[in-house]
Amino acid sequence: MAKKAAPKKAVAAEAHDSATETLKLVLGRLDDMKAEETVTIDLRGKSAFSDYLVVTTGRANRHVGAIAENVAKGLKEAGKKKLHVEGMANCDWVLIDTGEVILHVFRPEVREFYNIERLWAQNPSDETRVSLKAV
């Protein structure tokens, strides 16, 4: 007997619930680890590669590494198998990508330098348009 395909709306709702649960887990772990200045950006409808972007700060390299390790451990314990982690060698900037939630953990100076949340948080119509012309 063949299984019936789930309706598209149900699949979308399941994906949203999964992303929301993953976000809650990540934010809970960040709070437990005393991460600072945490910003969550809703990417639904803006991006095809993820539902949420989370940017946070650790006080120093060791704090950044500890935060990232704790979040990754929690995600693995929750059954997230396709985790992509980068930056653990230096711990200036660690990226954890679950597919649904992308987490960036920065040292304060590195976060200020890259300012990646600005890229997603601004409304494109608010930006000044720059025209490049050959002179």
Side-chain angles (χ1 to χ4, degrees):
M1 221 189 313
K3 289 185 177 181
K4 291 184 180 180
K8 289 182 182 179
K9 289 182 182 178
V11 172
E14 286 176 23
H16 174 66
D17 290 341
S18 175
T20 303
E21 289 302 313
T22 301
L23 178 65
K24 286 180 185 177
L25 187 148
V26 167
L27 293 176
R29 290 284 177 141
L30 294 176
D31 189 46
D32 291 347
M33 294 299 297
K34 307 290 190 244
E36 299 174 352
E37 301 177 28
T38 301
V39 175
T40 302
I41 301 170
D42 188 344
L43 297 178
R44 293 171 296 167
K46 295 179 186 176
S47 169
F49 63 85
S50 188
D51 292 323
Y52 297 99
L53 175 69
V54 179
V55 182
T56 195
T57 303
R59 292 180 297 280
N61 297 64
R62 291 184 81 163
H63 190 217
V64 168
I67 291 168
E69 285 178 6
N70 188 285
V71 171
K73 180 181 176 185
L75 290 166
K76 288 177 185 174
E77 289 171 354
K80 298 293 179 186
K81 295 178 182 172
K82 293 186 177 183
L83 277 186
H84 182 77
V85 180
E86 291 185 24
M88 288 297 289
N90 295 327
C91 294
D92 285 330
W93 173 6
V94 177
L95 167 98
I96 300 176
D97 184 354
T98 71
E100 301 164 327
V101 177
I102 298 173
L103 170 65
H104 295 273
V105 186
F106 289 100
R107 277 189 316 107
E109 304 81 20
V110 179
R111 182 175 181 175
E112 185 178 334
F113 179 79
Y114 287 104
N115 197 13
I116 65 167
E117 60 262 44
R118 177 186 57 85
L119 297 173
W120 292 99
Q122 286 184 345
N123 183 351
S125 63
D126 293 342
E127 292 183 27
T128 307
R129 304 262 182 226
V130 177
S131 176
L132 300 176
K133 296 180 182 178
V135 179

